[in-house]
Amino acid sequence: MSSPLASSSNLDGSDDTSPQQKQSKKPKYSRFTQQELPACKPLLTPGIVIGIFALVAVLFIPIGLVSLSASESVVEVIDRYDADCVPNNMHGKELDFIQNSSTNKTCTRRIIIPKTMKSPVHIYYELDNFYQNHRRYVKSRSDKQLLQPSKEAETKICAPEGNTPDGKPIVPCGLIAWSLFNDTYQFSINSGSIQVNKKNIAWASDRSHKFSKDVYPKNFQKGALIGGGKLNESIPLSEQEDLIVWMRTAALPTFRKLYGRIEKDLNANEEITVVIENNYNTYSFGGKKKLVLSTATWIGGKNNFLGVAYLTVGGLCLSLVLAFIVLYLFKPRTLGDPSYLSWNRNPSASTN
Amino acid sequence: MASERPLLNPPPLSDLPSPLPEPPIRPDPTAPAHRPTPSFSLDPPDPFRRQTNGASDRLVASNRERELAEIDARVIYLNDPRRTNERAGFAGNSIRTSKYSILTFLPRNLFEQFHRLAYVYFLAIAVLNQLPQLAVFGRGASLLPLAFVLFVTALKDAYEDFRRHRSDRLENNRTVHTLNGSGQFVPKRWKDLKVGEVFRVSSSETLPADMVLLATSDPTGVAYVQTINLDGETNLKTRYARQETLSKMPQNGTINGVIRCERPNRNIYGFHANLEVDGKRVSLGPANIVLRGCEFKNTAWAVGVVVYAGKETKVMLNSSGAPSKRSRLETHMNRETLILSVMLIVLCSVVAILNGIWLVVHKSKLTDTQYFRLKDYSTGVTKNYNYYGVAMTVFIIFLMAVIVFQIMIPISLYISMELVRLGQAYFMARDSNLYDESSKSKFHCRALNINEDLGQIKYVFSDKTGTLTENKMEFQCATICGVDYSAGTGSLYGEDTGYSVVVGDQLWRPKMPVNTDSDLVRLLRDGGATEERKWTYEFFLALATCNTIVPLVLDTLDPKQKLIDYQGESPDEQALVYAAAAYGFVLVERTSGHIVIDVLGERQRFDLLGLHEFDSDRKRMSVIVGCPDKTVKLFVKGADSSMFSIINRALDPEVIRLTESHLHSYSSLGLRTLVIGMRNLSQEDFDEWQSAYEHASTAVFGRGNLLRAMASQIESNVSILGASGIEDKLQKGVPEAIESLRQAGIRVWVLTGDKQETAISIGYSCKLLTNDMTQIVINHNTIDACKKSLEDAVAMASKLKAISPAVENAVSAVGSPRRISLALVIDGNSLVYILDTQLEEQLFKVAIACDVVLCCRVAPLQKAGIVALIKNRTDDMTLAIGDGANDVSMIQMADVGIGISGQEGRQAVMASDFSMGQFRFLVPLLLVHGHWNYQRMGYMILYNFYKNAAFVFVLFWYVLYTAYTLTTAVTEWSSMLYSVLYTALPTIVVAIFDKDLSRRTLLKYPKLYGSGQREERYNTKLFVFCMMESVWQSLVVFYIPYFVYKHSTIDMSSLGDIWTVAAVIVVNCHLALDVVRWNWVIHAFIWGTILATAICVVVLDSIWFLPGYWAIYHVMGSGLFWALLLITTVAALVPHFVTKVFGEYFMPDDIQIGREHEKFWGGSIQTPRSEIQMRTLSRHQH
């Protein structure tokens, strides 16, 4: 590769043909041009090294502990229901069950709350093995259409869910919207039903800037293959929060999405009854469906990994402190002693 | 002296052999020697023949003369441009150095830019991405980096071209006075000048085109020309108008005639033409032509005819860039780039194959799975949507993977390297330690792609004259008639006003004072009429006459005092004329017909009857002068070898013997010697010569050969007058510099055209040779003798090797007292039999066993041959340094060529990669800048490989969780900006500003240079190591967020942002860990870049139509994000930090020790002066 930036001219950029000759002047002295800018030269002396490792250890172990305790304080109840919510007689024929619109898909689950859950209790559904990040899937949406009523025909990238067979644009178009998750949960406690708040489950930024309040669902879920939930055509997209949540595609094939919140404390050992409409087809690809009730802290949901990671690194640094202390004690070296220079170390034999 | 602009390219080497090495006299071949009546001259030797050599003398005669074939000639009718240009399409005088016009800019510039392989790769990827099936990135994002780079380069080219346009316009619109039909000179613009037109130029005006002189203000037709714009030489050269045209101009108004000359060519020292005027045909040579860009000095006006105009002028034909070499590091880098390409292909194949397997496994489920949705029902006919079977999908995925992982091959690295070299070149050029006060020459980087090679040099091949020595000749001593006058007990000339010349009421003094020998002065003044005085008289007369020096009288502040400045091309001649002047033989005036010499106060006029210029065949010059006493004498001076062959040994054997012994002792003092001889010509001799001359000079073909033969004929039977010894002073700091270079493990070889004795003595005086060295001398004239002595030398070397095991590693063991070091002295004659034969291998064996190699009497091509000997047989880097035209071949052959912008013109500089003013600058250049450049560039390349690979691996790990479909969580813009904006600037800045060791330490311990020679900063081991680091860091960067967010509501954009930010912070902190010297620039760029990345991510997430809208704000709002960044950065860098600490403390390399030494042992003085440094060097070492 020849030089792209200096191909044709010399450094001074002087005109190639000018006959005038410049007498070169002595370069002006400045610390900059002589490369002698004041500089700090940190050197990894034993003291600094041990100090750094000790600092990391001292910092990380408490952070790890705090994270762990935060994670521990989270109460999380997970209930996998995809297998159990298929009637016994339909085992082995899950696809027939789920694709048949006439079967009764209602399923009742009981959940024991292990510890008191402070309000708000987040309700998630968790899908497994569902590649919301699949290339075919991720691209299949039209952001313009979602935002502007006039652009509702911009469905080209939504294929094969862009238009109905008779050519009308589908709003919202694309595979993502088409595959909208449509299981529903109704919670009740022995005393009565529990209110689930489904407001504000989507990002405010999405509601205000990505989904218009003037765009209404049209021709949605009318095709030959039903992918998931249907939408109420009288509610604008900006208020279809389940859709908005669903359309913020998950990063990983195992993901949770917010279903709603229970805005009351759930006491320990309470038994909660959940009536599930098991509509969503995960049987075709063998995905699991789970219902998750969880409180939240700064660390999010229950996750020990961060705390463990901090403790591991902190612990490692602590052991490195010890290791280096031992090494420095047993193999000390005077820093900067010229006698360690390769040509001084073994004057008789050569070094290269 | 220092021309900043490369007007000339090194001339093409002729393949003609010429048998002689660099002559001890250095005449400039352009030296003129024409005079009107009787007009005779030898064609000055072609400089390109002068620098070539070969084994055989036999070829010489036949090829000597480039004949002017009639068919090839260009015919010019004087003052008749219409007729001249009628048939032949000669170029007009308008020049165009600009490359583009407004219309052609875009296509031509793009075409040129895409000559670079890197850009083609870029383009291919971008084109792939435009195919709808493969569209991984949006159109904008995929084209952004390429467009950015193309745009920046185009902008730079456009600016440069604009400047060229401007200067072209300026140049083309200057005015010149041309002759019109009515005999008047009228102003005309340069660009309208045509071949064949006659024009007038006044003193100090620049010539608009190459012209043949027709007349000058001087009645004899002499003009003095300054060629500084052409070759950088400041001394005046003389040019002549032919007598035949002199009388016709300009009073008569018109002139008719026809010039037949060569086609335009690049040879600025050659011109071959003849002029037909008044039915007479006269020949024209280089002395009759003045080239575009020159200026007349000391000449009121000159009139000439345009022979070459515009782009056909010699200066334009010679203007092209510096030679292009590729650095060692870049060559190695290409090897690693290949490995990376293989890695890229492996990664892509893995993804493609996994995708295929996934498709096969999930085949039955594809139709119903929501996220795949195989079938398209929307058109009524059910068909597959965007799916062409497993094989095709695998193929498409493979190509898409290439697009996604494209930055595995760090394209931006090539641009970064250019910028870094530009920055390094800036600092090298601005280094005040590389500025030569005496010649006012700055350091220049002419080649911008081999900066880092300066840090890996193992062999330095140095010219002697002008490189190790100053090429400022000083007359030291003489032997006259067998008496040695070398006591040097005289007084400085300047104190003794007795030798100034009285002209009217003015006092003229030679400019340069010379030491005189008092005995000799006394002898000349009061010697009476002894034989001895007579010979001495003739000796100095020979010195004063036998030359081509032009005396110029300069004004001084005192109107009564004038200075005589002797202008000439050969410094030896200048020294001799000054010496003659000091002894009372003051050359006062020289015209083409006579010489006026003030001989011991008495003004005498000598007729210059004939002059045979110096040429490298004869290695001597001679003049025929008619003395005031009506005798005709031939004075000859030349190299001893050539002179002794024409001296009549029968005349004075004792004097010859004594002179030879004196010559020997002069040589061993390191003096350059010239032998002077004379011959009294009888009338018959002279007549015979004159008729031979007339015959020769009118010959159309083979004129040069005839003249040369004729000169040789009269230069015979010469009696010896004596010999002179001229000191060629060592440059400042040379011994110390050589010592430093040797300490640094660099072997210095000296290649000189001088005699063996001179070479050896210079070797001693510059500490190259020492008394404890064993010298192997090879100087033989037969192949068998060479073979034998080589065999002996090999045996000796291996014997010594057996005694001292360190011989092999002489580089590092120079200082060790146990070693017996060897020095090889070999001469050009032997090299004729050795180079390019089977003996070469043996020479190589001997040479590498020796610490010092001195080659004397070598010709330019042999110099290149010796460089090639090392270059072809080892991997070691070679550097050639020289100042003269004879060094050009060697400079071009070596890996790094350095030109000294000194006394000998600028040909070497033009051919070089770097130019500077003094040999001693080699030490700071190699030891300091070379070391820095190498360390920085080596690190930068590795770092770029590492940082791009790390990012690619992060992308790759994610692909494993997207059903192998190459979705990227990182936004397309971020993945494109990653190598351009997020990570590029800090490495560039660090590679320009970081210094592993201070200048002071590097100069104090030259052996630290070994790090570059041993390739410690860039090798395959380090490459593998940094790839391992990139894998580890990518794992950390990917998997810590992965596990933290595994069962969460995290969306793709948010996680992508986290990975982007984490990766950028990790790689920049990795760089920060390796920075040695933190100055504000580095601080600003490293932290600034992290900040800029964050801003970029935030901005990208504020654009509503991008999928990541507002994601970063959501993520940043949680404490988790910050906790995550901290742990990711630390966990990713712990292994690097631990290995670094461990390595630095327990296995420190020399650089590490040096760094500690600097910090704890008082390396705090920031501004060392290199001169002081160098003087203290030797003391520090022992």
PDB file of all heavy atoms in Angstrom, chain A residues 29 31 34 36, chain B residues 999-1000 1164-1170 1172:
ATOM      1  N   TYR A  29      12.864  26.804  18.312  1.00  0.00           N
ATOM      2  CA  TYR A  29      12.858  25.925  19.458  1.00  0.00           C
ATOM      3  C   TYR A  29      11.565  26.103  20.234  1.00  0.00           C
ATOM      4  O   TYR A  29      11.142  27.199  20.545  1.00  0.00           O
ATOM      5  CB  TYR A  29      14.041  26.251  20.380  1.00  0.00           C
ATOM      6  CG  TYR A  29      14.012  25.409  21.623  1.00  0.00           C
ATOM      7  CD1 TYR A  29      14.618  24.161  21.636  1.00  0.00           C
ATOM      8  CD2 TYR A  29      13.336  25.824  22.754  1.00  0.00           C
ATOM      9  CE1 TYR A  29      14.560  23.368  22.750  1.00  0.00           C
ATOM     10  CE2 TYR A  29      13.272  25.034  23.876  1.00  0.00           C
ATOM     11  CZ  TYR A  29      13.886  23.802  23.856  1.00  0.00           C
ATOM     12  OH  TYR A  29      13.824  23.002  24.960  1.00  0.00           O
ATOM     13  N   ARG A  31       9.205  23.590  23.208  1.00  0.00           N
ATOM     14  CA  ARG A  31       9.146  22.276  23.860  1.00  0.00           C
ATOM     15  C   ARG A  31       8.283  21.333  23.046  1.00  0.00           C
ATOM     16  O   ARG A  31       8.488  20.134  23.036  1.00  0.00           O
ATOM     17  CB  ARG A  31       8.575  22.405  25.275  1.00  0.00           C
ATOM     18  CG  ARG A  31       9.393  23.299  26.154  1.00  0.00           C
ATOM     19  CD  ARG A  31       8.998  23.123  27.591  1.00  0.00           C
ATOM     20  NE  ARG A  31       9.784  22.055  28.173  1.00  0.00           N
ATOM     21  CZ  ARG A  31       9.757  21.748  29.461  1.00  0.00           C
ATOM     22  NH1 ARG A  31       8.970  22.385  30.281  1.00  0.00           N
ATOM     23  NH2 ARG A  31      10.491  20.770  29.922  1.00  0.00           N
ATOM     24  N   GLN A  34      10.353  20.112  19.924  1.00  0.00           N
ATOM     25  CA  GLN A  34      11.467  19.256  20.312  1.00  0.00           C
ATOM     26  C   GLN A  34      10.979  18.029  21.075  1.00  0.00           C
ATOM     27  O   GLN A  34      11.766  17.290  21.640  1.00  0.00           O
ATOM     28  CB  GLN A  34      12.470  20.034  21.160  1.00  0.00           C
ATOM     29  CG  GLN A  34      13.028  21.250  20.448  1.00  0.00           C
ATOM     30  CD  GLN A  34      13.583  20.932  19.083  1.00  0.00           C
ATOM     31  OE1 GLN A  34      14.397  20.026  18.934  1.00  0.00           O
ATOM     32  NE2 GLN A  34      13.121  21.628  18.053  1.00  0.00           N
ATOM     33  N   GLU A  36       9.516  17.788  23.868  1.00  0.00           N
ATOM     34  CA  GLU A  36       9.901  17.811  25.271  1.00  0.00           C
ATOM     35  C   GLU A  36       8.804  18.434  26.109  1.00  0.00           C
ATOM     36  O   GLU A  36       9.057  19.175  27.051  1.00  0.00           O
ATOM     37  CB  GLU A  36      11.209  18.599  25.419  1.00  0.00           C
ATOM     38  CG  GLU A  36      12.403  17.752  25.055  1.00  0.00           C
ATOM     39  CD  GLU A  36      13.600  18.583  24.657  1.00  0.00           C
ATOM     40  OE1 GLU A  36      13.531  19.814  24.768  1.00  0.00           O
ATOM     41  OE2 GLU A  36      14.590  17.982  24.222  1.00  0.00           O
TER      42      GLU A  36
ATOM     43  N   ARG B 999      15.582  11.300  25.022  1.00  0.00           N
ATOM     44  CA  ARG B 999      16.707  11.484  24.114  1.00  0.00           C
ATOM     45  C   ARG B 999      18.032  11.257  24.842  1.00  0.00           C
ATOM     46  O   ARG B 999      18.936  10.595  24.335  1.00  0.00           O
ATOM     47  CB  ARG B 999      16.630  12.918  23.601  1.00  0.00           C
ATOM     48  CG  ARG B 999      17.715  13.339  22.649  1.00  0.00           C
ATOM     49  CD  ARG B 999      17.609  14.830  22.413  1.00  0.00           C
ATOM     50  NE  ARG B 999      16.391  15.183  21.714  1.00  0.00           N
ATOM     51  CZ  ARG B 999      16.306  15.247  20.400  1.00  0.00           C
ATOM     52  NH1 ARG B 999      17.355  14.968  19.661  1.00  0.00           N
ATOM     53  NH2 ARG B 999      15.181  15.578  19.818  1.00  0.00           N
ATOM     54  N   ARG B1000      18.097  11.797  26.045  1.00  0.00           N
ATOM     55  CA  ARG B1000      19.322  11.724  26.823  1.00  0.00           C
ATOM     56  C   ARG B1000      19.736  10.276  27.084  1.00  0.00           C
ATOM     57  O   ARG B1000      20.881   9.892  26.861  1.00  0.00           O
ATOM     58  CB  ARG B1000      19.047  12.428  28.150  1.00  0.00           C
ATOM     59  CG  ARG B1000      20.225  12.874  28.916  1.00  0.00           C
ATOM     60  CD  ARG B1000      19.686  13.600  30.142  1.00  0.00           C
ATOM     61  NE  ARG B1000      20.264  13.005  31.329  1.00  0.00           N
ATOM     62  CZ  ARG B1000      21.336  13.520  31.924  1.00  0.00           C
ATOM     63  NH1 ARG B1000      21.893  14.586  31.432  1.00  0.00           N
ATOM     64  NH2 ARG B1000      21.822  12.945  32.994  1.00  0.00           N
ATOM     65  N   SER B1164      16.191  13.398  34.940  1.00  0.00           N
ATOM     66  CA  SER B1164      15.123  14.391  34.916  1.00  0.00           C
ATOM     67  C   SER B1164      15.446  15.592  34.057  1.00  0.00           C
ATOM     68  O   SER B1164      14.578  16.383  33.758  1.00  0.00           O
ATOM     69  CB  SER B1164      14.826  14.846  36.338  1.00  0.00           C
ATOM     70  OG  SER B1164      16.007  15.403  36.872  1.00  0.00           O
ATOM     71  N   ILE B1165      16.691  15.734  33.651  1.00  0.00           N
ATOM     72  CA  ILE B1165      17.015  16.899  32.836  1.00  0.00           C
ATOM     73  C   ILE B1165      16.338  16.741  31.489  1.00  0.00           C
ATOM     74  O   ILE B1165      16.519  15.758  30.790  1.00  0.00           O
ATOM     75  CB  ILE B1165      18.529  17.039  32.663  1.00  0.00           C
ATOM     76  CG1 ILE B1165      19.178  17.173  34.027  1.00  0.00           C
ATOM     77  CG2 ILE B1165      18.842  18.245  31.801  1.00  0.00           C
ATOM     78  CD1 ILE B1165      20.634  16.879  34.029  1.00  0.00           C
ATOM     79  N   GLN B1166      15.537  17.718  31.170  1.00  0.00           N
ATOM     80  CA  GLN B1166      14.647  17.534  30.026  1.00  0.00           C
ATOM     81  C   GLN B1166      15.252  17.911  28.683  1.00  0.00           C
ATOM     82  O   GLN B1166      14.855  17.428  27.660  1.00  0.00           O
ATOM     83  CB  GLN B1166      13.378  18.370  30.236  1.00  0.00           C
ATOM     84  CG  GLN B1166      12.447  17.749  31.243  1.00  0.00           C
ATOM     85  CD  GLN B1166      11.660  16.625  30.637  1.00  0.00           C
ATOM     86  OE1 GLN B1166      11.248  16.701  29.502  1.00  0.00           O
ATOM     87  NE2 GLN B1166      11.444  15.564  31.385  1.00  0.00           N
ATOM     88  N   THR B1167      16.201  18.849  28.704  1.00  0.00           N
ATOM     89  CA  THR B1167      16.632  19.361  27.409  1.00  0.00           C
ATOM     90  C   THR B1167      18.120  19.157  27.184  1.00  0.00           C
ATOM     91  O   THR B1167      18.912  20.073  27.306  1.00  0.00           O
ATOM     92  CB  THR B1167      16.353  20.868  27.308  1.00  0.00           C
ATOM     93  OG1 THR B1167      16.980  21.489  28.435  1.00  0.00           O
ATOM     94  CG2 THR B1167      14.885  21.168  27.321  1.00  0.00           C
ATOM     95  N   PRO B1168      18.486  17.941  26.894  1.00  0.00           N
ATOM     96  CA  PRO B1168      19.895  17.703  26.638  1.00  0.00           C
ATOM     97  C   PRO B1168      20.272  18.193  25.241  1.00  0.00           C
ATOM     98  O   PRO B1168      19.468  18.125  24.327  1.00  0.00           O
ATOM     99  CB  PRO B1168      20.001  16.190  26.718  1.00  0.00           C
ATOM    100  CG  PRO B1168      18.654  15.697  26.355  1.00  0.00           C
ATOM    101  CD  PRO B1168      17.667  16.789  26.642  1.00  0.00           C
ATOM    102  N   ARG B1169      21.453  18.657  25.114  1.00  0.00           N
ATOM    103  CA  ARG B1169      21.923  19.060  23.792  1.00  0.00           C
ATOM    104  C   ARG B1169      22.721  17.902  23.229  1.00  0.00           C
ATOM    105  O   ARG B1169      23.560  17.344  23.898  1.00  0.00           O
ATOM    106  CB  ARG B1169      22.829  20.280  23.886  1.00  0.00           C
ATOM    107  CG  ARG B1169      22.192  21.411  24.636  1.00  0.00           C
ATOM    108  CD  ARG B1169      21.858  22.562  23.752  1.00  0.00           C
ATOM    109  NE  ARG B1169      22.743  22.659  22.611  1.00  0.00           N
ATOM    110  CZ  ARG B1169      22.345  23.197  21.465  1.00  0.00           C
ATOM    111  NH1 ARG B1169      21.118  23.620  21.350  1.00  0.00           N
ATOM    112  NH2 ARG B1169      23.191  23.295  20.468  1.00  0.00           N
ATOM    113  N   SER B1170      22.437  17.577  22.021  1.00  0.00           N
ATOM    114  CA  SER B1170      23.024  16.340  21.536  1.00  0.00           C
ATOM    115  C   SER B1170      24.535  16.449  21.401  1.00  0.00           C
ATOM    116  O   SER B1170      25.243  15.496  21.574  1.00  0.00           O
ATOM    117  CB  SER B1170      22.404  15.950  20.208  1.00  0.00           C
ATOM    118  OG  SER B1170      22.915  16.771  19.196  1.00  0.00           O
ATOM    119  N   ILE B1172      26.614  17.967  23.342  1.00  0.00           N
ATOM    120  CA  ILE B1172      27.211  17.689  24.634  1.00  0.00           C
ATOM    121  C   ILE B1172      27.141  16.200  24.915  1.00  0.00           C
ATOM    122  O   ILE B1172      28.094  15.550  25.297  1.00  0.00           O
ATOM    123  CB  ILE B1172      26.478  18.466  25.743  1.00  0.00           C
ATOM    124  CG1 ILE B1172      26.609  19.952  25.481  1.00  0.00           C
ATOM    125  CG2 ILE B1172      27.009  18.110  27.104  1.00  0.00           C
ATOM    126  CD1 ILE B1172      25.674  20.797  26.298  1.00  0.00           C
TER     127      ILE B1172
END
